[in-house]
């Protein structure tokens, strides 16, 4: 039943968008006859979703969607978003025309003049359709750019956080954070290596990874662990698990197969030179002073509450300065920020900033904010900071627009 509803909805979108296409290109375009444009429109609109469904059925058999069908699905998504923009403006103009027609019929006489019916309304409709198509070209071009280039357009975010109780030795201590690698979505080796080199160039004191190494299967990271193994920091490299690392998004032949995948996934953390923290703490020492680095398994609303924060805190003192690695930011909201054992800084990921949105000085927006109140960047409450990394890789939509892949450098600063 759900499939039928979705099919009808998509058909309605295609049909309504076609009205704008037909109005704008009724006389053809660049010498191409209108009929060929219309045939091309419907051919693409019908064939792409059918091919994508073939990929979905293939995934059910192999537990992995072939990359060609992922690509087709992404192209379909780009075109669908463009059609939604198109019909939004056409629908608005149709509402105006509807009320204008009522006015002309009931308040301005029973007959509409030839000048109005044959000149004014058609020209207005074509102008609106042409304008809507130009506006629809924006998501078409920007999302296409996101697929081709945006996913590897890494951006370094530097953030200072200030504390009165930071040990003197750690004033100016730097932490590089990467998150949400999602190796199963990598395709361009040169693009990935560019991001790794940018992280290395920061030369931070500590390097951390906050979960989602793969999409589902440990084997997705097989071609990449040697590259990520080149990431080094003076005080070590540490990591935690994300919701995608547990193999929950696949059908397994047996429990043993799932457990084997999970063992391989955990081994990959050591393969890339990272110490995986599983509800535990590590003392980071410098010049006779120390801070505590904690790491928990994934804890997130709707994504499994596996992390055991009390266990991770059991070996640390209340007065210790603490940095927590926890993949899902909802953990901070629900268990961390009000914990009686003060956790000074939490580093998370998970949201990806939905991989699309707008970030300009003084303004930040993404559709993900309607699900997550805190979704990217730094947040502070009661002298406790949360930083949410926008993610190194991609998932689902294989691109980024406006919310670029992120490498973070956090600098701890002591308030005098």
């Amino acid at each position: 039943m759900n499939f039928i509803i979705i099919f009808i909805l998509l058909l309605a979108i295609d049909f309504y968008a076609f009205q704008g296409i037909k109005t704008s290109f009724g006389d053809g375009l660049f010498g191409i006859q209108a009929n060929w444009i219309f045939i091309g429109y419907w051919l693409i609109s019908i064939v792409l979703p059918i091919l994508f469904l073939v990929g979905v059925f293939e995934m059910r058999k192999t537990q992995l969607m072939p990359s060609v069908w992922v690509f087709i699905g992404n192209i379909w998504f780009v075109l669908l978003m463009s059609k939604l923009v198109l019909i939004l403006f056409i629908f608005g103009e149709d509402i105006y025309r509807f009320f204008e027609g009522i006015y002309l019929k009931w308040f301005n006489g029973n007959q509409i003049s030839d000048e109005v019916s044959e000149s004014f309304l058609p020209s207005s409709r074509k102008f609106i359709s042409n304008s809507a198509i130009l506006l629809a070209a924006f998501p078409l071009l920007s999302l296409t750019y996101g697929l081709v280039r945006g996913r590897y357009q890494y951006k370094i975010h530097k953030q200072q956080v200030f504390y009165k109780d930071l040990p003197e030795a750690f004033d100016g201590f730097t932490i590089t954070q990467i998150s949400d690698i999602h190796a199963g979505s990598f395709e361009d080796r040169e693009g990935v290596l560019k991001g790794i080199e940018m992280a290395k160039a920061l030369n931070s004191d500590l390097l951390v990874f906050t979960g989602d190494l793969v999409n589902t299967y440990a084997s997705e990271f097989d071609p990449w662990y040697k590259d990520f193994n080149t990431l080094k920091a003076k005080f070590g490299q540490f990591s935690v698990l994300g919701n995608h690392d547990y193999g929950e998004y696949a059908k397994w032949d047996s429990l043993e197969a799932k457990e084997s995948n999970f063992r391989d996934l955990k081994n990959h953390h050591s393969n890339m030179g990272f110490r995986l923290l599983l509800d535990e703490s590590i003392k980071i020492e410098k010049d006779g002073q120390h801070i505590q680095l904690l790491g928990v398994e994934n804890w997130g609303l709707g994504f499994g509450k596996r992390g055991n924060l009390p266990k991770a805190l059991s070996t640390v003192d209340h007065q210790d300065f603490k940095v927590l690695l926890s993949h899902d930011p909802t953990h901070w909201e629900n268990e961390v920020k009000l914990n009686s054992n003060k956790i000074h800084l939490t580093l998370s990921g998970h949201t990806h900033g939905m991989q699309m949105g707008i970030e300009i000085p003084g303004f930040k927006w993404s559709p993900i904010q309607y699900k997550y109140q805190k979704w990217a960047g730094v947040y502070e409450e009661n002298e406790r900071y949360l930083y949410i990394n926008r993610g190194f890789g991609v998932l689902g939509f294989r691109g980024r627009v406006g919310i670029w892949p992120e490498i973070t450098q956090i600098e701890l600063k002591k308030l005098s």
Side-chain angles (χ1 to χ4, degrees), residues 30-102:
F30 301 133
I32 303 174
Q33 292 184 0
N35 286 341
W36 287 111
I37 295 175
F38 302 156
I39 291 172
Y41 172 88
W42 282 110
L43 192 63
I44 293 172
S45 298
I46 293 172
V47 170
L48 282 181
I50 290 175
L51 289 176
F52 180 70
L53 288 175
V54 170
V56 171
F57 286 117
E58 184 71 15
M59 181 178 66
R60 289 184 175 181
K61 293 187 295 182
T62 65
Q63 299 185 351
L64 191 65
M65 182 176 286
S67 58
V68 63
W69 274 284
V70 173
F71 175 77
I72 288 170
N74 276 264
I75 295 299
W76 179 30
F77 172 77
V78 169
L79 292 175
L80 180 61
M81 293 299 101
S82 302
K83 290 175 184 176
L84 288 175
V85 172
L86 176 63
I87 67 175
L88 178 66
F89 286 90
I90 294 175
F91 182 67
E93 195 260 353
D94 280 349
I95 292 176
Y96 173 81
R97 283 165 53 84
F98 173 76
F99 286 106
E100 182 184 45
I102 292 177

Coordinates of all heavy atoms in Angstrom, one line a residue, residues 30-102:
F30 N 16.2 25.2 -29.2 CA 17.4 25.0 -30.0 C 17.2 24.1 -31.2 O 18.1 23.2 -31.5 CB 18.5 24.5 -29.1 CG 18.8 25.3 -27.9 CD1 18.9 24.8 -26.6 CD2 19.0 26.7 -28.0 CE1 19.2 25.6 -25.5 CE2 19.2 27.5 -27.0 CZ 19.3 27.0 -25.7
G31 N 16.1 24.2 -31.9 CA 15.9 23.4 -33.0 C 15.3 22.0 -32.8 O 15.0 21.3 -33.7
I32 N 15.2 21.7 -31.5 CA 14.6 20.4 -31.1 C 13.1 20.5 -31.1 O 12.6 21.4 -30.4 CB 15.2 19.9 -29.8 CG1 16.7 19.8 -29.8 CG2 14.6 18.5 -29.4 CD1 17.3 19.4 -28.5
Q33 N 12.4 19.7 -31.8 CA 10.9 19.8 -31.8 C 10.4 19.4 -30.4 O 10.9 18.6 -29.6 CB 10.4 18.8 -32.8 CG 10.7 19.1 -34.2 CD 10.0 18.2 -35.2 OE1 9.3 17.3 -34.8 NE2 10.2 18.4 -36.5
A34 N 9.2 20.1 -30.1 CA 8.6 19.9 -28.8 C 8.3 18.5 -28.4 O 8.5 18.0 -27.3 CB 7.3 20.8 -28.7
N35 N 7.8 17.7 -29.4 CA 7.5 16.3 -29.2 C 8.7 15.5 -28.7 O 8.5 14.7 -27.8 CB 6.9 15.7 -30.4 CG 5.5 16.2 -30.7 OD1 4.8 16.7 -29.9 ND2 5.1 16.0 -32.0
W36 N 9.9 15.8 -29.2 CA 11.0 15.1 -28.7 C 11.4 15.5 -27.3 O 11.9 14.6 -26.5 CB 12.2 15.3 -29.7 CG 12.1 14.6 -31.0 CD1 11.9 15.2 -32.2 CD2 12.1 13.2 -31.2 NE1 11.8 14.2 -33.2 CE2 11.9 13.0 -32.6 CE3 12.3 12.1 -30.4 CZ2 11.9 11.7 -33.2 CZ3 12.3 10.8 -30.9 CH2 12.1 10.6 -32.3
I37 N 11.2 16.7 -27.0 CA 11.5 17.2 -25.6 C 10.5 16.5 -24.6 O 10.9 16.0 -23.6 CB 11.3 18.7 -25.5 CG1 12.4 19.4 -26.4 CG2 11.4 19.2 -24.1 CD1 12.2 20.9 -26.4
F38 N 9.2 16.4 -25.0 CA 8.3 15.8 -24.2 C 8.5 14.3 -24.0 O 8.4 13.7 -22.9 CB 6.8 16.0 -24.7 CG 6.5 17.5 -24.9 CD1 5.5 17.9 -25.8 CD2 7.1 18.4 -24.1 CE1 5.2 19.2 -26.0 CE2 6.8 19.8 -24.3 CZ 5.8 20.1 -25.2
I39 N 8.9 13.6 -25.1 CA 9.2 12.2 -25.0 C 10.4 12.0 -24.1 O 10.4 11.0 -23.3 CB 9.5 11.6 -26.5 CG1 8.2 11.6 -27.3 CG2 10.1 10.2 -26.4 CD1 8.4 11.3 -28.7
G40 N 11.4 12.8 -24.3 CA 12.6 12.7 -23.4 C 12.3 12.9 -22.0 O 12.8 12.2 -21.1
Y41 N 11.4 13.9 -21.7 CA 11.0 14.1 -20.3 C 10.4 12.9 -19.7 O 10.8 12.4 -18.6 CB 10.0 15.3 -20.2 CG 9.4 15.5 -18.9 CD1 10.1 16.3 -17.9 CD2 8.2 14.9 -18.5 CE1 9.5 16.5 -16.7 CE2 7.7 15.1 -17.3 CZ 8.3 15.9 -16.3 OH 7.8 16.1 -15.1
W42 N 9.4 12.3 -20.4 CA 8.7 11.1 -19.8 C 9.6 9.9 -19.8 O 9.5 9.1 -18.9 CB 7.4 10.9 -20.5 CG 6.3 11.8 -20.1 CD1 5.8 12.8 -20.9 CD2 5.7 11.9 -18.9 NE1 4.9 13.5 -20.1 CE2 4.8 13.0 -18.9 CE3 5.8 11.1 -17.7 CZ2 4.0 13.3 -17.8 CZ3 5.0 11.5 -16.6 CH2 4.1 12.5 -16.7
L43 N 10.5 9.8 -20.8 CA 11.4 8.6 -20.8 C 12.3 8.6 -19.6 O 12.4 7.6 -18.9 CB 12.2 8.6 -22.1 CG 13.0 7.4 -22.4 CD1 12.0 6.2 -22.7 CD2 13.9 7.6 -23.7
I44 N 12.9 9.8 -19.3 CA 13.7 9.9 -18.1 C 12.9 9.7 -16.8 O 13.4 9.0 -15.9 CB 14.4 11.3 -18.1 CG1 15.4 11.3 -19.3 CG2 15.2 11.5 -16.8 CD1 16.0 12.7 -19.5
S45 N 11.7 10.3 -16.8 CA 10.9 10.3 -15.6 C 10.5 8.9 -15.2 O 10.2 8.6 -14.1 CB 9.7 11.2 -15.7 OG 10.1 12.5 -15.9
I46 N 10.3 8.0 -16.2 CA 9.8 6.7 -16.0 C 11.0 5.7 -15.8 O 11.0 4.8 -14.9 CB 8.9 6.2 -17.2 CG1 7.6 7.1 -17.2 CG2 8.6 4.7 -17.1 CD1 6.7 6.8 -18.4
V47 N 12.0 5.8 -16.7 CA 13.1 4.8 -16.7 C 13.9 4.9 -15.4 O 14.3 3.9 -14.8 CB 14.0 5.0 -17.9 CG1 15.2 4.2 -17.8 CG2 13.2 4.6 -19.2
L48 N 14.3 6.1 -15.0 CA 15.2 6.3 -13.8 C 14.6 5.6 -12.5 O 15.3 4.8 -11.9 CB 15.5 7.7 -13.5 CG 16.5 8.4 -14.4 CD1 16.7 9.9 -14.0 CD2 17.8 7.7 -14.4
P49 N 13.3 5.8 -12.2 CA 12.8 5.1 -11.0 C 12.8 3.6 -11.2 O 13.0 2.9 -10.2 CB 11.5 5.8 -10.7 CG 11.1 6.5 -12.0 CD 12.4 6.8 -12.6
I50 N 12.4 3.2 -12.4 CA 12.4 1.7 -12.6 C 13.8 1.1 -12.4 O 13.9 0.1 -11.8 CB 11.9 1.4 -14.0 CG1 10.4 1.8 -14.1 CG2 12.1 0.0 -14.4 CD1 9.8 1.6 -15.5
L51 N 14.8 1.8 -13.0 CA 16.2 1.2 -12.8 C 16.6 1.3 -11.4 O 17.3 0.3 -10.9 CB 17.1 2.1 -13.7 CG 17.1 1.9 -15.2 CD1 18.0 2.9 -15.9 CD2 17.4 0.5 -15.6
F52 N 16.2 2.3 -10.6 CA 16.5 2.4 -9.2 C 15.9 1.2 -8.5 O 16.5 0.6 -7.6 CB 16.1 3.7 -8.6 CG 16.4 3.9 -7.2 CD1 17.8 4.0 -6.8 CD2 15.4 3.9 -6.2 CE1 18.1 4.1 -5.4 CE2 15.8 4.0 -4.9 CZ 17.1 4.1 -4.5
L53 N 14.6 0.9 -8.8 CA 13.9 -0.2 -8.1 C 14.6 -1.5 -8.4 O 14.7 -2.4 -7.6 CB 12.5 -0.2 -8.6 CG 11.5 0.9 -8.0 CD1 10.2 0.8 -8.6 CD2 11.5 0.8 -6.5
V54 N 15.1 -1.7 -9.6 CA 15.9 -2.9 -10.0 C 17.1 -3.0 -9.0 O 17.4 -4.0 -8.5 CB 16.4 -2.8 -11.5 CG1 17.4 -3.9 -11.7 CG2 15.2 -2.9 -12.4
G55 N 17.8 -1.8 -8.8 CA 18.9 -1.8 -7.8 C 18.5 -2.2 -6.4 O 19.2 -2.9 -5.7
V56 N 17.3 -1.7 -6.0 CA 16.8 -2.1 -4.7 C 16.5 -3.6 -4.6 O 16.9 -4.2 -3.6 CB 15.4 -1.3 -4.4 CG1 14.8 -1.9 -3.1 CG2 15.7 0.1 -4.3
F57 N 16.0 -4.2 -5.6 CA 15.7 -5.7 -5.6 C 17.1 -6.4 -5.6 O 17.2 -7.4 -5.0 CB 14.8 -6.1 -6.7 CG 13.4 -5.7 -6.5 CD1 12.8 -4.8 -7.4 CD2 12.7 -6.3 -5.5 CE1 11.4 -4.5 -7.2 CE2 11.3 -5.9 -5.3 CZ 10.7 -5.0 -6.2
E58 N 18.0 -5.8 -6.4 CA 19.4 -6.5 -6.4 C 20.0 -6.4 -5.0 O 20.7 -7.4 -4.6 CB 20.2 -5.7 -7.4 CG 21.6 -6.3 -7.7 CD 21.6 -7.6 -8.4 OE1 20.5 -7.9 -9.0 OE2 22.6 -8.3 -8.4
M59 N 19.8 -5.3 -4.3 CA 20.4 -5.2 -3.0 C 19.8 -6.2 -2.0 O 20.5 -6.7 -1.2 CB 20.1 -3.8 -2.5 CG 20.7 -3.5 -1.1 SD 20.4 -1.8 -0.5 CE 18.6 -1.8 -0.4
R60 N 18.5 -6.5 -2.2 CA 17.9 -7.5 -1.4 C 18.6 -8.9 -1.5 O 18.6 -9.7 -0.6 CB 16.4 -7.6 -1.7 CG 15.6 -6.4 -1.2 CD 14.1 -6.6 -1.5 NE 13.3 -5.5 -0.9 CZ 12.0 -5.5 -1.0 NH1 11.3 -6.5 -1.6 NH2 11.4 -4.4 -0.5
K61 N 19.0 -9.2 -2.7 CA 19.7 -10.5 -3.0 C 21.1 -10.5 -2.6 O 21.6 -11.5 -2.0 CB 19.6 -10.8 -4.5 CG 18.2 -11.1 -5.0 CD 18.2 -11.6 -6.4 CE 18.7 -10.5 -7.4 NZ 18.7 -10.9 -8.8
T62 N 21.9 -9.4 -2.8 CA 23.3 -9.3 -2.5 C 23.7 -8.6 -1.3 O 24.8 -8.6 -0.8 CB 24.0 -8.7 -3.7 OG1 23.6 -7.3 -3.8 CG2 23.7 -9.4 -5.0
Q63 N 22.7 -7.9 -0.6 CA 22.9 -7.1 0.6 C 23.8 -5.9 0.3 O 24.2 -5.2 1.2 CB 23.5 -7.9 1.7 CG 22.6 -9.1 2.2 CD 23.2 -9.8 3.4 OE1 24.3 -9.6 3.8 NE2 22.4 -10.7 3.9
L64 N 24.0 -5.6 -1.0 CA 24.8 -4.4 -1.3 C 24.3 -3.9 -2.6 O 24.3 -4.6 -3.6 CB 26.3 -4.8 -1.4 CG 27.3 -3.6 -1.5 CD1 27.3 -2.8 -0.2 CD2 28.7 -4.2 -1.8
M65 N 23.9 -2.6 -2.7 CA 23.4 -2.0 -3.9 C 24.6 -1.7 -4.8 O 25.5 -0.9 -4.4 CB 22.6 -0.7 -3.6 CG 22.0 -0.1 -4.9 SD 21.0 1.3 -4.6 CE 19.5 0.5 -4.0
P66 N 24.6 -2.2 -6.1 CA 25.7 -1.9 -7.0 C 25.8 -0.4 -7.2 O 24.8 0.4 -7.2 CB 25.3 -2.6 -8.3 CG 24.4 -3.7 -7.8 CD 23.7 -3.1 -6.6
S67 N 27.1 0.1 -7.4 CA 27.3 1.6 -7.5 C 26.6 2.2 -8.6 O 26.2 3.4 -8.5 CB 28.8 1.8 -7.6 OG 29.3 1.2 -8.7
V68 N 26.4 1.4 -9.7 CA 25.7 2.0 -10.9 C 24.2 2.4 -10.5 O 23.7 3.4 -10.9 CB 25.7 1.1 -12.1 CG1 25.0 -0.2 -11.8 CG2 25.1 1.8 -13.3
W69 N 23.6 1.6 -9.7 CA 22.2 1.9 -9.3 C 22.2 3.0 -8.2 O 21.2 3.7 -8.1 CB 21.5 0.6 -8.8 CG 20.9 -0.1 -9.9 CD1 19.8 0.2 -10.6 CD2 21.5 -1.3 -10.5 NE1 19.5 -0.8 -11.6 CE2 20.6 -1.7 -11.6 CE3 22.6 -2.1 -10.3 CZ2 20.8 -2.8 -12.4 CZ3 22.8 -3.2 -11.1 CH2 21.9 -3.5 -12.1
V70 N 23.2 3.1 -7.4 CA 23.3 4.2 -6.5 C 23.4 5.5 -7.2 O 22.8 6.5 -6.9 CB 24.5 4.0 -5.5 CG1 24.7 5.3 -4.7 CG2 24.4 2.8 -4.6
F71 N 24.2 5.5 -8.3 CA 24.4 6.7 -9.2 C 23.1 7.0 -9.8 O 22.7 8.2 -9.8 CB 25.4 6.4 -10.2 CG 25.6 7.5 -11.3 CD1 26.3 8.6 -10.9 CD2 25.0 7.4 -12.5 CE1 26.4 9.7 -11.9 CE2 25.2 8.4 -13.5 CZ 25.8 9.5 -13.1
I72 N 22.3 6.0 -10.3 CA 21.0 6.3 -10.9 C 20.1 6.9 -9.9 O 19.3 7.8 -10.2 CB 20.5 5.0 -11.5 CG1 21.3 4.6 -12.8 CG2 19.0 5.1 -11.9 CD1 20.9 3.2 -13.3
G73 N 20.1 6.3 -8.7 CA 19.2 6.9 -7.6 C 19.5 8.3 -7.3 O 18.6 9.1 -7.1
N74 N 20.8 8.7 -7.3 CA 21.2 10.0 -7.0 C 20.8 11.0 -8.1 O 20.3 12.1 -7.9 CB 22.7 10.1 -6.8 CG 23.1 9.8 -5.4 OD1 23.3 10.7 -4.5 ND2 23.2 8.5 -5.1
I75 N 20.9 10.6 -9.4 CA 20.5 11.4 -10.5 C 18.9 11.6 -10.4 O 18.4 12.7 -10.6 CB 20.8 10.7 -11.8 CG1 22.4 10.7 -12.0 CG2 20.2 11.5 -13.0 CD1 23.0 12.0 -12.0
W76 N 18.2 10.6 -10.1 CA 16.8 10.6 -9.9 C 16.4 11.7 -8.8 O 15.5 12.5 -9.0 CB 16.2 9.3 -9.6 CG 14.7 9.2 -9.4 CD1 13.8 10.0 -10.0 CD2 14.0 8.3 -8.6 NE1 12.5 9.7 -9.5 CE2 12.6 8.7 -8.7 CE3 14.4 7.3 -7.7 CZ2 11.7 8.0 -8.0 CZ3 13.4 6.6 -7.0 CH2 12.1 6.9 -7.2
F77 N 17.2 11.6 -7.7 CA 16.9 12.5 -6.6 C 17.2 14.0 -7.0 O 16.4 14.8 -6.7 CB 17.9 12.2 -5.4 CG 17.9 13.2 -4.3 CD1 16.8 13.2 -3.4 CD2 18.9 14.1 -4.2 CE1 16.8 14.1 -2.4 CE2 18.9 15.0 -3.2 CZ 17.8 15.0 -2.3
V78 N 18.2 14.2 -7.8 CA 18.5 15.6 -8.3 C 17.4 16.1 -9.1 O 16.9 17.2 -9.0 CB 19.9 15.6 -9.1 CG1 20.1 16.9 -9.8 CG2 21.0 15.3 -8.1
L79 N 16.9 15.3 -10.0 CA 15.8 15.7 -10.9 C 14.5 15.9 -10.1 O 13.8 16.8 -10.4 CB 15.6 14.7 -12.0 CG 16.8 14.5 -13.1 CD1 16.5 13.4 -14.0 CD2 17.0 15.9 -13.8
L80 N 14.3 15.0 -9.2 CA 13.1 15.2 -8.4 C 13.1 16.5 -7.6 O 12.1 17.2 -7.5 CB 13.0 14.0 -7.4 CG 11.8 14.0 -6.5 CD1 10.5 13.9 -7.3 CD2 11.8 12.8 -5.5
M81 N 14.2 16.9 -7.0 CA 14.3 18.1 -6.3 C 14.1 19.3 -7.2 O 13.4 20.3 -6.8 CB 15.7 18.3 -5.6 CG 15.9 17.3 -4.5 SD 14.8 17.4 -3.1 CE 13.7 16.0 -3.4
S82 N 14.6 19.2 -8.4 CA 14.4 20.3 -9.4 C 12.9 20.4 -9.8 O 12.4 21.5 -9.9 CB 15.2 20.0 -10.6 OG 16.6 19.9 -10.3
K83 N 12.2 19.2 -9.9 CA 10.8 19.2 -10.3 C 10.0 19.8 -9.1 O 9.0 20.5 -9.4 CB 10.3 17.8 -10.6 CG 10.9 17.2 -11.9 CD 10.5 15.8 -12.0 CE 11.1 15.2 -13.2 NZ 10.7 13.7 -13.3
L84 N 10.4 19.6 -7.9 CA 9.6 20.1 -6.8 C 9.7 21.7 -6.7 O 8.7 22.3 -6.4 CB 10.1 19.6 -5.4 CG 9.8 18.1 -5.2 CD1 10.5 17.6 -3.9 CD2 8.3 17.9 -5.1
V85 N 10.9 22.2 -7.0 CA 11.0 23.7 -7.1 C 10.1 24.2 -8.3 O 9.4 25.2 -8.1 CB 12.5 24.1 -7.3 CG1 12.6 25.5 -7.7 CG2 13.3 23.7 -6.1
L86 N 10.2 23.5 -9.4 CA 9.4 23.9 -10.6 C 7.9 23.9 -10.2 O 7.2 24.9 -10.5 CB 9.6 22.9 -11.7 CG 8.8 23.1 -13.0 CD1 9.2 24.4 -13.6 CD2 9.1 22.0 -14.0
I87 N 7.3 22.9 -9.6 CA 5.9 22.8 -9.4 C 5.5 23.8 -8.3 O 4.3 24.2 -8.3 CB 5.4 21.4 -9.1 CG1 6.0 20.9 -7.8 CG2 5.8 20.4 -10.2 CD1 5.4 19.5 -7.4
L88 N 6.4 24.1 -7.4 CA 6.1 25.1 -6.3 C 5.6 26.4 -6.9 O 4.6 27.0 -6.5 CB 7.3 25.2 -5.4 CG 7.1 26.3 -4.3 CD1 6.0 25.8 -3.3 CD2 8.4 26.5 -3.6
F89 N 6.4 26.9 -7.9 CA 6.1 28.2 -8.5 C 4.9 28.0 -9.5 O 4.1 29.0 -9.6 CB 7.3 28.7 -9.2 CG 8.3 29.2 -8.3 CD1 9.3 28.4 -7.8 CD2 8.3 30.5 -7.8 CE1 10.2 28.8 -6.9 CE2 9.2 31.0 -6.9 CZ 10.2 30.2 -6.4
I90 N 4.8 26.9 -10.2 CA 3.6 26.7 -11.1 C 2.3 26.7 -10.3 O 1.3 27.2 -10.7 CB 3.8 25.5 -12.0 CG1 5.0 25.7 -12.9 CG2 2.6 25.2 -12.8 CD1 5.4 24.4 -13.7
F91 N 2.4 26.0 -9.2 CA 1.2 25.8 -8.3 C 0.8 27.2 -7.8 O -0.4 27.5 -7.8 CB 1.5 24.9 -7.2 CG 0.3 24.6 -6.3 CD1 -0.8 23.9 -6.8 CD2 0.3 25.0 -5.0 CE1 -1.9 23.7 -6.0 CE2 -0.8 24.8 -4.2 CZ -1.9 24.1 -4.7
G92 N 1.8 28.0 -7.4 CA 1.4 29.3 -6.9 C 0.7 30.2 -7.9 O -0.2 30.9 -7.7
E93 N 1.2 30.0 -9.2 CA 0.6 30.8 -10.3 C -0.8 30.3 -10.6 O -1.7 31.1 -10.9 CB 1.6 30.7 -11.5 CG 1.2 31.8 -12.6 CD 0.4 31.2 -13.7 OE1 0.2 30.0 -13.8 OE2 0.0 32.0 -14.6
D94 N -1.0 29.0 -10.5 CA -2.3 28.4 -10.8 C -3.3 28.8 -9.8 O -4.5 29.0 -10.1 CB -2.2 26.9 -10.8 CG -1.6 26.4 -12.1 OD1 -1.5 27.2 -13.1 OD2 -1.3 25.2 -12.2
I95 N -2.9 29.0 -8.5 CA -3.8 29.5 -7.5 C -4.2 30.9 -7.8 O -5.4 31.3 -7.7 CB -3.1 29.4 -6.1 CG1 -2.9 28.0 -5.6 CG2 -4.0 30.2 -5.1 CD1 -2.2 27.8 -4.3
Y96 N -3.2 31.7 -8.2 CA -3.6 33.1 -8.6 C -4.5 33.1 -9.8 O -5.5 33.9 -9.8 CB -2.3 33.8 -9.0 CG -2.5 35.2 -9.6 CD1 -2.8 36.3 -8.8 CD2 -2.5 35.4 -11.0 CE1 -3.0 37.5 -9.3 CE2 -2.7 36.6 -11.5 CZ -3.0 37.7 -10.7 OH -3.2 38.9 -11.2
R97 N -4.3 32.3 -10.8 CA -5.2 32.2 -12.0 C -6.6 31.8 -11.6 O -7.5 32.2 -12.2 CB -4.6 31.2 -13.0 CG -3.4 31.8 -13.8 CD -2.6 30.7 -14.5 NE -3.5 29.9 -15.3 CZ -3.9 30.2 -16.6 NH1 -3.5 31.3 -17.1 NH2 -4.6 29.4 -17.2
F98 N -6.7 30.9 -10.6 CA -8.0 30.4 -10.2 C -8.8 31.5 -9.7 O -10.0 31.7 -10.0 CB -7.8 29.3 -9.2 CG -9.1 28.8 -8.6 CD1 -9.9 28.0 -9.3 CD2 -9.4 29.2 -7.3 CE1 -11.1 27.5 -8.7 CE2 -10.6 28.8 -6.7 CZ -11.5 27.9 -7.4
F99 N -8.2 32.3 -8.7 CA -9.0 33.4 -8.1 C -9.2 34.5 -9.1 O -10.2 35.2 -9.0 CB -8.3 33.8 -6.9 CG -8.4 32.9 -5.7 CD1 -7.3 32.1 -5.3 CD2 -9.6 32.8 -5.0 CE1 -7.5 31.2 -4.2 CE2 -9.7 31.9 -3.9 CZ -8.7 31.2 -3.5
E100 N -8.2 34.7 -10.0 CA -8.4 35.7 -11.0 C -9.6 35.3 -11.9 O -10.4 36.2 -12.3 CB -7.2 35.8 -11.9 CG -7.3 36.9 -12.9 CD -6.0 37.0 -13.8 OE1 -5.6 35.9 -14.2 OE2 -5.6 38.1 -14.1
G101 N -9.7 34.0 -12.3 CA -10.8 33.6 -13.1 C -12.2 33.8 -12.4 O -13.2 34.2 -13.0
I102 N -12.2 33.5 -11.1 CA -13.5 33.8 -10.3 C -13.8 35.2 -10.4 O -15.0 35.6 -10.6 CB -13.3 33.3 -8.9 CG1 -13.2 31.7 -8.9 CG2 -14.5 33.8 -8.0 CD1 -12.9 31.2 -7.5

